[in-house]
């Protein structure tokens, strides 16, 4: 599966990671069951996965608290992406 991954165009053009770098590899790790490695590769994988599941559930079984749940998970995902990106670029 790894041989079919898309390269990061941002990294090829500018020479440094984008905020989404590591997301594909983390998804593959998550699907393989490597949960800890997936988190360390891309910490936002879990809030994004929960958000995707809630969107899918809402499409099949609409529920009342969907908009609040989706908004909260989106904010958590964005905050996690920004914090991990800043950490990866400037601290680590």
């Amino acid at each position: 599966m790894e041989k079919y991954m898309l390269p990061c165009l941002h990294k090829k053009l500018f020479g440094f990671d984008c905020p989404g770098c590591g997301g594909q590899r983390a998804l593959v790790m998550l699907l393989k069951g490597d949960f800890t490695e997936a988190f360390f590769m891309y910490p936002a994988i879990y809030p994004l996965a929960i958000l995707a599941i809630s969107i899918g559930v809402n499409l099949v079984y609409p529920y009342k608290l969907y908009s609040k749940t989706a908004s909260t998970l989106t904010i958590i995902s964005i905050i996690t992406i920004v914090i991990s990106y800043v950490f990866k670029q400037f601290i680590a």
Side-chain angles (χ1 to χ4, degrees), residues 44 46-48 69-82:
Y46 291 112
L48 289 171
T69 303
S71 298
T72 303
L73 287 170
T74 301
I75 291 168
I76 291 170
S77 297
I78 291 169
I79 290 170
T80 307
I81 290 168
V82 169

Side-chain angles (χ1 to χ4, degrees), residues 2-87:
E2 288 88 7
K3 64 183 176 182
Y4 299 111
M5 288 189 193
L6 299 171
C8 180
L9 183 61
H10 184 272
K11 190 171 186 172
K12 283 191 175 210
L13 290 175
F14 301 111
F16 59 93
D17 290 348
C18 72
C21 278
Q24 283 185 93
R25 287 176 280 154
L27 180 61
V28 170
M29 289 175 183
L30 188 66
L31 294 174
K32 287 182 176 180
D34 298 329
F35 302 114
T36 305
E37 289 85 2
F39 175 78
F40 285 115
M41 179 60 64
Y42 192 69
I45 191 70
Y46 291 112
L48 289 171
I50 296 168
L51 177 61
I53 290 168
S54 73
I55 290 170
V57 167
N58 187 60
L59 290 173
V60 178
Y61 302 107
Y63 58 98
K64 279 185 180 180
L65 296 175
Y66 170 71
S67 63
K68 190 170 196 149
T69 303
S71 298
T72 303
L73 287 170
T74 301
I75 291 168
I76 291 170
S77 297
I78 291 169
I79 290 170
T80 307
I81 290 168
V82 169
I83 290 172
S84 65
Y85 180 71
V86 168
F87 181 80

